[in-house]
Amino acid sequence: RAKIHSTQRVEISFDAAILNGGIYARGLIASALPSNFRELLISETERISDPELTFIAVASMQRSASTTLVSEVLSSNNTNPCTISLNEVFLNSRHQSGDAWPIDGRHLQNSDKGDLKPALLQDFLIRVAKRRCVEQLKSRDTRNMCENRCIVAFKQFYEHLNAEQHKLLWKNIPNMTVVVLERKVQERWKSRFVAEKTNDWHTHGFDWHKKKIKTIYVPPMNVSESDEFCKEVNWKQLCHFEQKHKDWFNLVRETTPVENRAEISYEDVVENKGESARANIAAVLPIAFQQIITLTN
């Protein structure tokens, strides 16, 4: 890995090599070969041209229903067979980004993420998206239904990258739609404070969770501005809570073009199974993808 550039290398897991006769592994290898050699490696039934991708970056913050949006309202796991969720792909954690970093970002793991050039992060994102999309479309029926296209949704929080990395990714990634999911900062503060205090990170759907939020004392948000609060180890993540909220959403709106941006609220996501959120996002997607975002399993 140290000697061979990522563009000339394919990463394959043990499972990919042995499952289904290695069909998935052969597809990955073939996709990296010169075009005139691909057909020599894979059979007619395995042959899949490179899928067309469009990206949905959900620019949000914790406790805003971003997980519900990418994993339930949009993601193929529950609704749309043509949409894949990469969750918090820029967070190097199995829990948040699955196998993305061990497979597609392994060559980046020894570097400080803040020092990585946006071009490397862009290459990483596209590699993960293409690999997951090829896997998603391996069924001929699914591939035909989706017209060999994938909508790739992922969460983007301010702490995932630095400001310059965020801005250049929004500018340079092809077919990028930015979804601004902003919950009222007071509601976020209340939910985040309770989560940090009780380690209850469940979402809006549980009645006992709603009851807990109503019954626990939550201090006013301006307490997060005090030096004493910020020095407390347990509360450092909540320090300057409102200012971080304002700075992040200002950066998103000032950097991304309005014609490629959708604005949705917390209520759009959690009410009516997210129908309003899905419709608002579909309206700003490239035309070829507007139909497939409404498909269901």
Side-chain angles (χ1 to χ4, degrees):
R1 292 187 174 99
K3 298 294 185 182
I4 303 174
H5 192 269
S6 61
T7 58
Q8 298 175 297
R9 190 176 72 238
V10 177
E11 300 274 349
I12 294 173
S13 68
F14 174 80
D15 289 340
I18 65 171
L19 293 177
N20 298 318
I23 289 176
Y24 180 47
R26 282 199 298 278
L28 286 175
I29 296 171
S31 68
L33 290 176
S35 59
N36 54 323
F37 287 91
R38 291 175 188 170
E39 293 188 3
L40 300 178
L41 184 65
I42 58 178
S43 68
E44 178 65 31
T45 56
E46 296 172 36
R47 213 164 283 154
I48 303 176
S49 60
D50 283 349
E52 185 180 355
L53 306 175
T54 194
F55 293 89
I56 296 176
V58 178
S60 191
M61 303 188 85
Q62 283 188 319
R63 314 310 294 166
S64 301
S66 58
T67 299
T68 301
L69 178 61
V70 300
S71 298
E72 296 179 25
V73 176
L74 297 175
S75 170
S76 59
N77 292 337
N78 295 296
T79 53
N80 191 312
C82 311
T83 306
I84 56 176
S85 167
L86 303 186
N87 200 19
E88 296 182 50
V89 66
F90 290 117
L91 195 62
N92 188 355
S93 160
R94 278 274 189 179
H95 178 65
Q96 299 294 352
S97 55
D99 62 3
W101 286 86
I103 293 180
D104 304 288
R106 192 163 184 170
H107 59 296
L108 307 176
Q109 289 183 307
N110 292 330
S111 303
D112 187 304
K113 190 166 61 174
D115 294 332
L116 292 175
K117 293 181 179 179
L120 289 174
L121 293 168
Q122 178 178 334
D123 175 72
F124 162 69
L125 176 65
I126 292 174
R127 279 172 167 270
V128 180
K130 185 176 290 187
R131 175 172 61 86
R132 298 268 185 90
C133 182
V134 168
E135 183 176 13
Q136 183 74 17
L137 301 182
K138 61 186 177 184
S139 157
R140 184 182 296 272
D141 289 342
T142 303
R143 190 161 66 253
N144 290 339
M145 181 188 301
C146 299
E147 301 175 348
N148 203 30
R149 294 187 175 103
C150 281
I151 297 170
V152 183
F154 63 95
K155 294 193 283 186
Q156 205 167 350
F157 296 165
Y158 80 96
E159 65 266 27
H160 290 167
L161 303 168
N162 63 43
E164 285 306 306
Q165 290 170 329
H166 281 303
K167 289 193 288 186
L168 287 172
L169 284 174
W170 291 326
K171 178 181 178 181
N172 294 328
I173 291 178
N175 292 335
M176 167 74 84
T177 296
V178 176
V179 173
V180 181
L181 171 56
E182 183 178 13
R183 187 181 185 185
K184 293 176 183 177
V185 66
Q186 288 281 3
E187 294 300 313
R188 278 194 59 241
W189 164 257
K190 183 164 56 176
S191 180
R192 182 71 189 272
F193 185 91
V194 171
E196 293 283 355
K197 186 177 179 64
T198 65
N199 200 33
D200 173 9
W201 292 87
H202 288 90
T203 54
H204 62 279
F206 299 93
D207 288 338
W208 51 267
H209 179 72
K210 295 177 184 177
K211 184 177 180 181
K212 183 181 288 186
I213 289 179
K214 288 181 179 179
T215 56
I216 289 178
Y217 169 73
V218 178
M221 188 167 51
N222 61 13
V223 72
S224 72
E225 304 298 318
S226 71
D227 291 338
E228 294 77 12
F229 184 90
C230 292
K231 288 176 182 177
E232 287 287 334
V233 174
N234 292 339
W235 305 118
K236 280 187 176 180
Q237 293 294 321
L238 302 184
C239 182
H240 302 297
F241 191 85
E242 185 173 17
Q243 191 59 52
K244 289 177 181 176
H245 181 107
K246 290 179 179 178
D247 289 347
W248 171 238
F249 287 108
N250 284 341
L251 175 71
V252 176
R253 292 187 173 102
E254 289 170 0
T255 307
T256 57
V258 66
E259 62 270 20
N260 294 331
R261 191 174 73 227
E263 299 266 351
I264 61 176
S265 68
Y266 173 84
E267 290 74 21
D268 288 333
V269 176
V270 302
E271 295 175 1
N272 299 318
K273 298 182 179 181
E275 290 180 7
S276 176
R278 194 181 298 110
N280 288 341
I281 294 169
V284 295
L285 286 178
I287 293 175
F289 291 87
Q290 290 181 5
Q291 291 296 323
I292 67 172
I293 196 173
T294 61
L295 294 175
T296 57
N297 281 315

